Every structure is written in structure tokens, then in C-alpha cells.
Amino acid sequence: MLSMYGVSCIRLHWKMPLLHQPRGLLWSCISSTSEMVIAQTLSSPDHVQEVSTRMLLHKYLAPMLMQDVLGCVLRRLAIHHSAQASPTVISCLLRILLHPRITDLQLSDLSYVGSVELETLDKVELTLMKLLPSMTQLTQLNLSTHLNKITLPSCSSGILEILGRSCPNLTLLNLNSNNRVSGEGLLHLYPTDNQPGCIKLEKLFIQDCSVDPEDVAMLIHFFPNLQIVGYKELGTSLQILKSQPKKFGRRRRRWQYCLKLTHVDNTSSRAQKCDGEIVDFVCETCPDIENLKVRVCDEDVEGLGNLAKLKHLELRFYTGVHHPIGRSTENYFKTHGCHLASLTIYCNRLHSNYVQIIAENCYNLTKLFLHANVSVVDRSLKNSCNKLQKLEVLSLRLGHDELIMSPTACDLVFFLLREAHYLQELYLLVRSHAVHHGFITKLLVINKLSHLKMLIADVARRTLSVPMLELTIETAFLLIDTCPHLQLLGNLICWNVTPEEVAELQSVTKMRNYNLTVIYTQSNKLNDKIRQ
């Protein structure tokens, strides 16, 4: 009888619908709550309804959930109700959802409402200025927006003044592309006799703001906990720190303290010059550097050996003119390459000798990006040592215009992926007659790519008027059948396939319910996604 009862229970369980997992149920509740808040606010944005909704939410939702509801509300408002996103509605939603105990405030999704009038910026900003003084536990604030557009959220000196006075626990502040932010406004973040300031700041993002390198240099000097400063001319600011020590109360001979910076990126600087002085300054004053992106000559690389914590490195051998990779770079890879987790190289000529040195000595790499105008085979890689067993992402981009062919690209791929059995992403951006169906077949023999999630085979700087890759629709089906975790495949616009074949492929993946996106687009902006 017990056995029959057990069988009955099992059968009954099989007939039940799938249950929500706890996390899925939580987000379902957040989504429903967000829809309720938006619907009530849009239907009657009056003071009585606002107070009632706020009291109800504050009574039953923890501050952490209020953060999630706020984020969901802003996304839904921007995507589905942008036409009704007036300053009155936005201000009402902020008054309802900004709990005093919120620690993470993300308002950047408001930018997707689109371009607005200056009056709208002022009204919403005034509301935020009234709410921020009570949010003393705030640790993260994101007010980033879009470049060259008048969009929400905005951040004037008034907002920064309140942050310096009321938010001493702030560790992350993102103001990217907010042109109301100025160097004078950032002075409000400094501690004074009348306010605590934001002395705990660790991450500050001020890309495309009205801020000068001198202002950033002052911030780096007087905010000792800063680890990441997102600023295009960061290298210039570091040079100011080095060249004007008296301005910061330091001797020119040598700095007597260390900065806590962990990330330095000077590759977006308008001045395309060698960053040798920046490398020297970083080696001298920033022992905690983990991520470094600079333009260098070969001799500048030698000093990087002093950075014991460096794990992520991008080297651009271009400073207005191309520089060759040489002995200093080779020696660095041989002696310190084992400490790197990711490596990006931009150069004019990529020699197979350098590739072999990287593969033999940088054996802890999980990401490798190689971008060059020309690849040169100066030694055979067939029997060379390869220790890249941990590699998860490989990007190989060769050629600077639509006429350059890269016949050696396939040999480089075969060699680099020989031991990379955990590869998840492969970006092959080359033009070569050797990239055909047989190449993929041979690659799958060398490496089954059983963990591959993304494969992009495209042509760098391509135009559709020249020959493309000789990959076919059979190649696509081969990859789908062989790589069980494949989620993204493209760009088939430059493969030897027809639109009808692409439509058939998409139909098959939909019918079989594959979690696979097939890319077939004429846009070449896809290549930007592989930049580290």
C-alpha cells in the first residue's frame, strides 16, 4: 500500500507545473511590484497617492529590495513608458522609491528616456537634491549619461556639494559623460572643517566631463583610497603629479608615499605619444597596479617587471609611428609573463617568434588579444612549446585595410588553441583564403571546443565589395552539432552563404529551441566588442 502511495505521489508530482526557483520568484515579485508602482504613478501622480505608495513599500520591502525595485522601475519607464516620463512623474517615482537606507543608487537608466529639455534636468535634479541628504549610508552612486546629448540624470555642483556634506561612506561615483560636472564642482567632495567629504572614494569615473587633468591630479593626491579613476587623460594627470611635486608638497627627487591605484588606462588619450614616463611613475608610486593599458616603445616594457601585482596588461606599440617589439618585451614575457591573466598587444608586425614566447611563458593567461597589421612567420610553430591550457578567450585581428591578406592566420590559430581545451570565446578577424570549411574541421580535430560559447569569424575593416571568408552553411551546422554550449555565432554576412540559408539556419535553431543567436549584419561595429 505504501509503495502504491509513493507511486501515486510521484505521478502527481510529474503532472504539476514547473515551480519557480527562489531567485526567479524573487525577481517575479520585483517585476510585479515595479509594474504596480508605475501604473499607480502614471494614473494619478498626486501627493496623497504618492505618500500612500511610499508608506506601503517602506513598510513591507527591505532597503535592498527597494534598490532592485527602483532599478526595474527606471528600466521599464525608459523602455515602455518614455513618452509619459515627464519630470513630474520621474520626481514622484524618486520620492516613492529612494529609501534613506539604500546603499547602491543607480540612476543611469534614466538616460534611455531620451533627449530632454534643460528645464527637465533642473526639476529632476532639484528633487534629487532634496532626497540625497537623508541617504547617509550611500556607498555607490551612478549618474552617468550619454555623450553629447541632453539626457537624464544630471549632476551639477549642487549635487556634488550635498554628496560631500551628507554621503561620507561613498566608495564609487560614476559621472561619465555628465557635462555639468566641473573641476570646481568636484572640490565639494573634499573634506573640510564643515563637512566630512567623500574621503572613502575608491572608484571615480569622470570620462567626458568638464574636468581638466590638473583637477584629476589633485583628486588622486588628496584622496588616498582611490583605486580606479576613469579619465581619458589620466596619464597626463600622473605626469603633472610627477613634474610638479612642489604643488603637492613633495620633493622632486623622490615621492615619499604610494598611491593605491590598481587601474591605469592611457590608451584613449588624445596625445598619441610614448607613455614611458607614465610607466616609470607607475612603477615608482603605484605598487598595487593590477591593470595597465599604455602606449610604449620596446624599451619601456622592461620596467614593468617591478609591478608584482600586474595581471592585466595592454601594450600598444604605436605612438604616432609604429614601434617594433624587441628584446625588452621578450625578456619581460620570459621572466614575468607567468603572472599575467590577460594580455593585449597592438603592433604593426606580429612575428611568430613573439607568439611562441607568449605561449611558452604566459601560461596563466585566460584572455589573449593579438591585433596587428601584418603577421610574419619567422619560425615554425608546429613543434613549438605551448602552455596556454587556461585560455578562455582568444582574439586574433590581422590587417589594417581591405586589401591585406593573412595567409598565416590559420597556423597561428592552430598553434594557440592546441592546448586551450577550455576556450569559451573565439574572435577571428582576418582575411584569408585558408579560412574555409576545412580549416574549421581541422580545428575541431585539434581541439573539440567543447566549452565554446561564442565564435565570431569576420573580416577586420571589411567592405562587402571584396572576397570574404570561404565558410559555408555546413560550417555553421558543424559548429552547432559539435559545440554543445555555443550561444553566439557570426558574422555570417561575410561567409559564403545566402540569405535563404541563413533564414533556414535561424529557423532550425528556433524549432530545436537552441539558445543560440546567429549574427548576420552588415555593420562592422561588432568588432568593438572584442576590445578589452
Side-chain angles (χ1 to χ4, degrees):
M1 185 68 180
L2 181 61
S3 176
M4 292 178 62
Y5 177 76
V7 171
S8 176
C9 285
I10 292 174
R11 288 177 178 174
L12 179 62
H13 178 71
W14 283 349
K15 294 179 180 179
M16 292 175 63
L18 293 176
L19 300 177
H20 280 294
Q21 296 298 317
R23 189 64 180 171
L25 183 60
L26 173 63
W27 281 105
S28 178
C29 294
I30 290 173
S31 179
S32 301
T33 303
S34 302
E35 284 289 355
M36 180 270 292
V37 172
I38 291 177
Q40 290 190 355
T41 303
L42 294 179
S43 62
S44 55
D46 58 79
H47 179 69
V48 176
Q49 181 65 54
E50 175 187 316
V51 173
S52 175
T53 305
R54 183 173 66 248
M55 291 179 62
L56 181 66
L57 292 176
H58 286 210
K59 181 178 180 180
Y60 292 105
L61 287 183
M64 184 176 295
L65 293 181
M66 290 288 285
Q67 294 176 184
D68 295 331
V69 171
L70 174 63
C72 188
V73 164
L74 295 183
R75 284 191 294 273
R76 288 179 178 274
L77 179 71
I79 296 173
H80 302 295
H81 308 282
S82 59
Q84 298 172 274
S86 65
T88 301
V89 169
I90 295 173
S91 297
C92 181
L93 290 171
L94 292 178
R95 287 192 293 268
I96 290 173
L97 295 169
L98 288 191
H99 194 287
R101 292 170 58 192
I102 282 181
T103 60
D104 185 358
L105 181 55
Q106 304 287 331
L107 298 181
S108 60
D109 282 339
L110 282 174
S111 61
Y112 294 105
V113 171
S115 298
V116 298
E117 301 292 334
L118 290 175
E119 184 180 1
T120 300
L121 294 183
D122 295 335
K123 288 183 178 179
V124 175
E125 189 175 297
L126 182 61
T127 301
L128 191 58
M129 289 172 64
K130 293 179 179 179
L131 296 171
L132 280 175
S134 64
M135 304 180 68
T136 57
Q137 299 185 31
L138 199 64
T139 60
Q140 299 186 33
L141 176 61
N142 188 343
L143 296 175
S144 62
T145 181
H146 287 311
L147 180 64
N148 298 327
K149 291 184 179 180
I150 303 177
T151 59
L152 293 166
S154 67
C155 180
S156 65
S157 296
I159 295 287
L160 296 173
E161 183 178 355
I162 293 174
L163 292 177
R165 189 171 63 242
S166 306
C167 302
N169 297 310
L170 203 63
T171 60
L172 185 152
L173 181 59
N174 189 342
L175 306 174
N176 281 346
S177 302
N178 223 309
N179 57 14
R180 288 190 169 190
V181 176
S182 64
E184 184 178 353
L186 291 175
L187 292 176
H188 294 295
L189 301 178
Y190 288 76
T192 65
D193 295 337
N194 300 320
Q195 67 178 36
C198 302
I199 199 64
K200 295 183 180 180
L201 264 181
E202 296 177 355
K203 301 176 183 179
L204 177 63
F205 300 93
I206 45 178
Q207 300 277 23
D208 300 308
C209 296
S210 301
V211 180
D212 296 326
E214 291 81 3
D215 302 320
V216 179
M218 295 288 288
L219 283 167
I220 295 172
H221 175 70
F222 288 106
F223 283 75
N225 293 308
L226 275 177
Q227 299 176 9
I228 301 177
V229 179
Y231 182 61
K232 287 184 178 180
E233 301 297 333
L234 180 60
T236 304
S237 299
L238 294 179
Q239 286 179 321
I240 291 173
L241 280 174
K242 181 180 181 180
S243 62
Q244 302 178 20
K246 291 183 179 180
K247 186 175 182 178
F248 306 98
R250 301 289 166 184
R251 298 178 180 178
R252 182 177 295 275
R253 182 171 57 85
R254 191 169 184 86
W255 285 66
Q256 302 299 317
Y257 73 106
C258 294
L259 301 175
K260 292 186 178 180
L261 290 177
T262 59
H263 291 61
V264 170
D265 181 1
N266 198 47
T267 56
S268 299
S269 174
R270 296 175 184 175
Q272 293 189 348
K273 60 181 181 179
C274 185
D275 294 335
E277 292 185 5
I278 297 174
V279 171
D280 293 340
F281 182 73
V282 166
C283 291
E284 182 179 345
T285 63
C286 305
D288 295 328
I289 283 289
E290 298 177 4
N291 191 314
L292 181 62
K293 300 180 180 181
V294 285
R295 297 187 181 100
V296 293
C297 301
D298 178 68
E299 56 267 23
D300 302 319
V301 181
E302 185 176 2
L304 296 179
N306 298 322
L307 300 175
K309 296 184 180 180
L310 186 62
K311 294 183 179 179
H312 310 281
L313 178 62
E314 178 175 315
L315 299 175
R316 298 193 177 215
F317 292 89
Y318 181 79
T319 59
V321 295
H322 294 289
H323 299 283
I325 301 176
R327 290 292 180 86
S328 295
T329 306
E330 292 181 17
N331 292 335
Y332 174 76
F333 289 147
K334 290 178 179 179
T335 55
H336 299 91
C338 60
H339 302 301
L340 296 177
S342 69
L343 174 63
T344 302
I345 292 180
Y346 287 83
C347 63
N348 182 38
R349 299 172 69 87
L350 179 65
H351 292 258
S352 58
N353 177 53
Y354 307 143
V355 176
Q356 191 276 326
I357 291 174
I358 292 172
E360 182 177 1
N361 298 280
C362 305
Y363 46 80
N364 283 314
L365 285 180
T366 59
K367 298 180 180 179
L368 177 59
F369 300 79
L370 298 175
H371 298 185
N373 294 332
V374 180
S375 61
V376 179
V377 178
D378 47 10
R379 65 176 299 174
S380 175
L381 296 174
K382 186 174 182 180
N383 298 317
S384 298
C385 180
N386 183 346
K387 299 181 181 179
L388 298 177
Q389 299 179 1
K390 299 181 180 180
L391 200 63
E392 297 178 359
V393 179
L394 173 64
S395 172
L396 181 64
R397 176 170 177 160
L398 302 175
H400 66 277
D401 62 41
E402 66 274 11
L403 300 178
I404 290 184
M405 303 296 288
S406 303
T408 62
C410 294
D411 293 333
L412 292 177
V413 173
F414 289 148
F415 171 68
L416 290 170
L417 297 185
R418 191 170 67 197
E419 304 296 332
H421 299 293
Y422 297 96
L423 191 77
Q424 298 182 19
E425 301 178 21
L426 174 59
Y427 304 90
L428 185 60
L429 304 172
V430 301
R431 178 175 281 104
S432 174
H433 294 306
V435 179
H436 47 61
H437 182 75
F439 160 71
I440 297 296
T441 302
K442 183 177 179 180
L443 177 60
L444 292 173
V445 173
I446 296 174
N447 186 336
K448 295 181 179 180
L449 300 179
S450 57
H451 292 79
L452 191 67
K453 295 181 180 180
M454 299 173 60
L455 189 146
I456 301 296
D458 205 336
V459 176
R461 296 183 179 272
R462 60 175 161 76
T463 61
L464 299 182
S465 60
V466 296
M468 294 294 165
L469 304 177
E470 293 299 324
L471 301 173
T472 65
I473 199 67
E474 286 76 17
T475 310
F477 280 109
L478 173 64
L479 289 165
I480 293 172
D481 294 337
T482 308
C483 308
H485 300 289
L486 194 63
Q487 298 176 7
L488 185 67
L489 179 63
N491 183 1
L492 272 66
I493 191 68
C494 64
W495 294 21
N496 187 14
V497 298
T498 64
E500 293 76 17
E501 290 174 326
V502 175
E504 178 188 358
L505 175 62
Q506 293 173 332
S507 176
V508 170
T509 57
K510 184 177 180 180
M511 179 181 63
R512 296 182 182 179
N513 198 31
Y514 289 152
N515 181 23
L516 175 66
T517 300
V518 177
I519 298 177
Y520 185 74
T521 175
Q522 293 187 5
S523 173
N524 208 24
K525 292 182 180 180
L526 173 71
N527 298 345
D528 294 337
K529 295 184 178 181
I530 72 170
R531 295 183 62 183
Q532 190 181 34

